[in-house]
Amino acid sequence: MTRHRSPGRAAALHNLRAGPYDGHGQAGKIAEDSEAAPGQTFRQPVSKGEGFGGARLNAVQIGLGTCGTIPQNLAGEHHEWDNAIGWLLRVTTGQGRWPNDFRGVMVEPVEEHIEKLRKLSGKLPLIRFVQVAISEVEATGVDVHVLTHKIVQSLLDSVEPEQRSNLEADLLYVRNMSSVGGEHPYLPVVRDRARRNYGIEIPLDALQTDVWSYAKLADELDFCGCELLVIDTEGHDTMVVRSLIKHCKEQDQLGRSAWPDVICFETAGLCDKKEGIATEAATITELEELGYFVFLTNHMNTNMVNRKALEWSWRVKRWVEHVTCDFCKENHSFPLTCRDG
């Protein structure tokens, strides 16, 4: 996403309340009357630097950038709070006892972005930060095109003082357009605007990152599934979803459910630009065939809910029931739509 996102902002946000704790067992059922089912306990001790012992996580966020992240909502400054992320977190059991007990994995390929967030790890002892990209095919040393903090400072110094505030806001947009394997499809438009408005050229650094599959991420961090999966990977979202699907099907064969309760990913056309027209629509259809339904959409993102989670989990039910469509004003005719994105 381009950090103009609101994965599910709606008019009734202030009325949202969290449901009781629950967790998935090995076969995917949810224990409504306990904090977590056997084999997926949230209470299992996890030391810094270790994995999660096969536990189900509260959340996985893939693609962090500089704002709109779960760690910032849990332990950041007041001005870093993102309403949309706050809304999404309400579907997790961890939102009731965070940040110390919140279990999650945060993934970002750009070192300076993840290192900034890693500074919050003292307040988030059960969150792991992983500097890689996620896709279908694993690789090492892949280029990631980044507008670094150093370049930003140089560009700000190159313009008149009265232009710096507007330029800084424009460059924040570019800072969140880091792209693996090639430059962001919208970068030429942004560069043209910078030439017209400020008379500057926007260069990017080509850094490098490793690429893991979702299966490798789950294996390295030793977790099985999550309540919430948020994906924001600048046109790679559908590849991440396909990697997730492959992993979850493999886990099904082993008698374990790794399917997230809720998946939020960007469907604003970037994946179609990278992979071809209707890629995003095909990915949504595939998830629907696997038991998900489109719960809420906006011009940036699609939010999908696992039907089994909705059936078995009071937590998910209450989360779904407390959102009203901005257009029809109903809350039981899916998909709902919100104006903000």
Side-chain angles (χ1 to χ4, degrees):
M1 281 169 259
T2 52
R3 265 52 185 192
H4 288 178
R5 68 174 171 199
S6 296
R9 200 187 312 265
L13 280 176
H14 65 281
N15 292 322
L16 293 172
R17 298 191 300 273
Y21 301 140
D22 55 22
H24 283 259
Q26 294 291 339
K29 284 194 175 183
I30 298 174
E32 292 288 349
D33 298 324
S34 63
E35 209 167 297
Q40 301 288 348
T41 174
F42 290 120
R43 291 297 184 187
Q44 179 180 344
V46 178
S47 300
K48 185 175 181 180
E50 295 181 357
F52 293 94
R56 188 173 184 84
L57 303 184
N58 298 123
V60 175
Q61 186 170 12
I62 300 174
L64 303 174
T66 66
C67 57
T69 72
I70 290 172
Q72 288 169 311
N73 267 54
L74 293 175
E77 300 294 330
H78 178 74
H79 68 87
E80 295 178 305
W81 175 271
D82 183 274
N83 284 338
I85 292 295
W87 171 73
L88 285 168
L89 283 173
R90 289 184 180 274
V91 79
T92 70
T93 58
Q95 79 91 32
R97 54 184 205 277
W98 40 307
N100 287 341
D101 293 328
F102 193 95
R103 296 190 178 219
V105 171
M106 307 294 130
V107 183
E108 166 62 46
V110 178
E111 181 179 10
E112 63 183 47
H113 294 343
I114 202 163
E115 288 304 318
K116 178 182 177 182
L117 294 172
R118 202 190 299 271
K119 294 176 182 178
L120 299 173
S121 59
K123 300 177 182 179
L124 303 168
L126 300 184
I127 283 186
R128 302 291 177 261
F129 297 88
V130 186
Q131 187 194 335
V132 296
I134 304 297
S135 191
E136 294 175 281
V137 180
E138 296 177 6
T140 58
V142 177
D143 284 348
V144 52
H145 299 268
V146 182
L147 180 66
T148 62
H149 178 72
K150 182 178 180 179
I151 294 175
V152 169
Q153 293 305 121
S154 176
L155 291 172
L156 291 175
D157 290 341
S158 72
V159 301
E160 297 297 326
E162 60 269 20
Q163 293 181 301
R164 289 173 186 167
S165 178
N166 288 337
L167 176 58
E168 186 173 20
D170 288 348
L171 293 180
L172 178 63
Y173 179 77
V174 185
R175 289 266 282 158
N176 288 286
M177 291 170 61
S178 302
S179 183
V180 176
E183 292 188 346
H184 195 286
Y186 294 158
L187 186 60
V189 176
V190 176
R191 280 176 163 155
D192 285 343
R193 186 167 63 241
R195 292 186 195 105
R196 292 194 308 271
N197 294 343
Y198 309 105
I200 61 171
E201 295 290 335
I202 299 180
L204 300 183
D205 272 347
L207 308 180
Q208 290 195 322
T209 184
D210 289 345
V211 180
W212 289 2
S213 64
Y214 192 92
K216 181 170 183 177
L217 180 71
D219 182 61
E220 292 287 337
L221 278 297
D222 194 13
F223 68 89
C224 184
C226 58
E227 295 167 337
L228 169 65
L229 173 61
V230 182
I231 306 170
D232 180 0
T233 55
E234 301 304 319
H236 294 82
D237 298 53
T238 49
M239 299 180 202
V240 175
V241 171
R242 292 196 299 270
S243 186
L244 164 78
I245 290 171
K246 183 175 185 291
H247 168 69
C248 291
K249 287 181 175 179
E250 290 170 350
Q251 294 303 300
D252 282 346
Q253 295 300 312
L254 298 173
R256 297 193 291 262
S257 176
W259 299 99
D261 294 344
V262 174
I263 303 173
C264 172
F265 61 105
E266 186 177 85
T267 50
L270 274 178
C271 297
D272 288 355
K273 282 183 175 292
K274 283 186 173 290
E275 295 194 80
I277 295 173
T279 297
E280 294 169 358
T283 302
I284 291 170
T285 298
E286 185 173 8
L287 284 170
E288 288 174 330
E289 292 171 350
L290 290 166
Y292 287 82
F293 70 94
V294 178
F295 163 53
L296 186 144
T297 64
N298 54 49
H299 73 275
M300 289 298 295
N301 310 308
T302 295
N303 300 266
M304 302 189 72
V305 175
N306 188 324
R307 291 185 182 277
K308 289 183 179 179
L310 183 64
E311 178 183 357
W312 290 98
S313 171
W314 186 32
R315 164 181 52 85
V316 177
K317 288 178 183 177
R318 293 202 47 186
W319 182 75
V320 166
E321 289 173 354
H322 280 77
V323 179
T324 301
C325 180
D326 280 348
F327 293 93
C328 70
K329 307 304 179 183
E330 300 290 334
N331 66 349
H332 291 289
S333 179
F334 304 121
L336 307 181
T337 304
C338 68
R339 293 187 179 91
D340 292 335

